[in-house]
């Protein structure tokens, strides 16, 4: 266990150090969420009740989809360039390689989420500290699953990466639009509500909104926790198997 933790931290430091040295890159990645926060969020003011309590959790889930879900890109670059092969001949534990990379993606996501929350407060967002903390924890669990799935997909996509880009681009926008992140699905046609009900991301969004509004945990939170836990379990299983067998 000690060696596993050491290897995990070695990989984490290797992955996180470039981001820490160039924080401007993290802000650049937040360009789209920030535009939605300041422009689209203002358009919703008064249209969905307490708009900022409703919209900010959705923005955080959007960041989770566009961040950890795309984090396999960096692994894909290393696979294509050959640097990952050099890492594989070291005594580093392969599971630790997956966990360390996932921890890096979660550290970046957490920093960006906190920044979004801080920027949203002057706009009218009222943070409930307990709910925000629980919501961020739920977001991290969901992000772990997405990140691990992204790494597994990157490994399967090497050496050209076509599969990675095809799957991520095909899945991203349907998952986003059918989750009710930008607009509520309640007023949509029946087929759209049914499709949204089949989207696990929709349950994460509803759970985040319930938690960020300071509501007592109920069925929306339970469903969100189950969806996040299932995503994390599936992602870690597939990611670990791919890392052990496919690289």
């Amino acid at each position: 266990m000690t060696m596993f933790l050491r290897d995990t931290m070695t990989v984490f430091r290797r992955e996180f150090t470039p981001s820490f040295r160039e924080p401007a890159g993290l802000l650049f990645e937040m360009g789209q969420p920030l535009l939605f926060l300041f422009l689209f969020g203002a358009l919703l003011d008064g249209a969905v009740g307490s708009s900022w309590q409703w919209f900010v959790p959705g923005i955080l889930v959007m960041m989770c989809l566009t961040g950890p879900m795309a984090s396999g890109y960096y692994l894909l670059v290393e696979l294509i360039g050959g640097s990952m092969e050099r890492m594989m001949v070291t005594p580093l534990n392969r599971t630790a390689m997956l966990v360390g990379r996932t921890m890096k993606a979660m550290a970046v996501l957490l920093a960006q989420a906190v920044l979004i929350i801080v920027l949203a407060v002057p706009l009218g967002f009222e943070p409930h500290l307990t709910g925000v903390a629980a919501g961020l924890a739920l977001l991290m669990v969901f992000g772990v699953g997405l990140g691990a799935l992204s790494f597994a997909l990157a490994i399967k996509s090497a050496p050209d990466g076509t599969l990675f880009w095809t799957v991520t681009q095909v899945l991203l926008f349907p998952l986003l639009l059918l989750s009710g992140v930008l607009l509520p699905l309640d007023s949509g046609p029946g087929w759209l509500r049914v499709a949204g009900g089949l989207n696990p991301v929709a349950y994460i969004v509803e759970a985040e909104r319930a938690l960020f509004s300071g509501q007592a945990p109920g069925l929306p939170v339970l469903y969100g926790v189950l969806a996040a836990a299932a995503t994390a379990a599936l992602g870690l299983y597939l990611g670990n198997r791919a890392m052990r067998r496919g690289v």
Side-chain angles (χ1 to χ4, degrees):
M1 179 60 71
T2 301
M3 293 183 63
F4 174 78
L5 294 176
R6 183 199 64 190
D7 290 349
T8 299
M9 292 309 299
T10 297
V11 175
F12 173 77
R13 286 193 295 269
R14 175 184 180 273
E15 297 298 316
F16 186 74
T17 299
S19 298
F20 182 76
R21 290 176 177 173
E22 298 182 4
L26 301 181
L27 295 176
F28 179 78
E29 293 177 7
M30 296 177 63
Q32 186 181 61
L34 287 174
L35 284 175
F36 275 101
L37 178 69
F38 288 109
L39 300 181
F40 197 86
L43 294 175
L44 291 176
D45 193 15
V48 290
S50 181
S51 60
W52 294 110
Q53 307 301 123
W54 186 91
F55 191 59
V56 170
I59 287 293
L60 298 183
V61 175
M62 177 192 293
M63 286 175 48
C64 193
L65 285 173
T66 57
M69 192 173 181
S71 57
Y73 164 76
Y74 301 101
L75 176 60
L76 183 60
V77 169
E78 292 189 14
L79 289 169
I80 294 174
S83 60
M84 190 63 186
E85 293 181 3
R86 293 191 289 272
M87 281 193 66
M88 298 308 295
V89 300
T90 69
L92 287 172
N93 183 285
R94 292 198 176 189
T95 302
M97 291 183 184
L98 173 69
V99 175
R101 286 177 176 272
T102 305
M103 286 175 57
K104 180 261 183 179
M106 292 308 97
V108 171
L109 176 62
L110 181 61
Q112 293 175 332
V114 171
L115 179 58
I116 286 288
I117 292 171
V118 170
L119 292 176
V121 171
L123 300 176
F125 175 67
E126 299 177 1
H128 300 269
L129 296 183
T130 302
V132 167
L136 290 177
L138 178 62
L139 196 71
M140 294 301 106
V141 174
F142 185 49
V144 164
L146 290 180
L149 286 172
S150 180
F151 294 137
L153 183 60
I155 292 171
K156 294 298 182 182
S157 301
D160 61 0
T162 302
L163 178 64
F164 180 84
W165 293 115
T166 300
V167 173
T168 53
Q169 293 303 311
V170 167
L171 286 180
L172 177 60
F173 288 104
L175 288 175
L176 182 64
L177 296 175
L178 291 174
S179 65
V181 164
L182 301 177
L183 292 170
L185 298 178
D186 298 341
S187 58
W191 66 267
L192 189 64
R193 295 195 297 271
V194 171
L198 298 175
N199 181 8
V201 183
Y203 297 100
I204 306 293
V205 173
E206 290 302 315
E208 292 286 343
R209 284 172 177 156
L211 291 170
F212 272 61
S213 297
Q215 300 177 17
L219 285 180
V221 175
L222 175 61
Y223 293 152
V225 169
L226 292 176
T231 303
L234 178 63
L236 289 173
Y237 170 73
L238 294 178
N240 186 47
R241 188 176 69 170
M243 188 69 75
R244 286 180 174 275
R245 297 182 180 180
V247 177

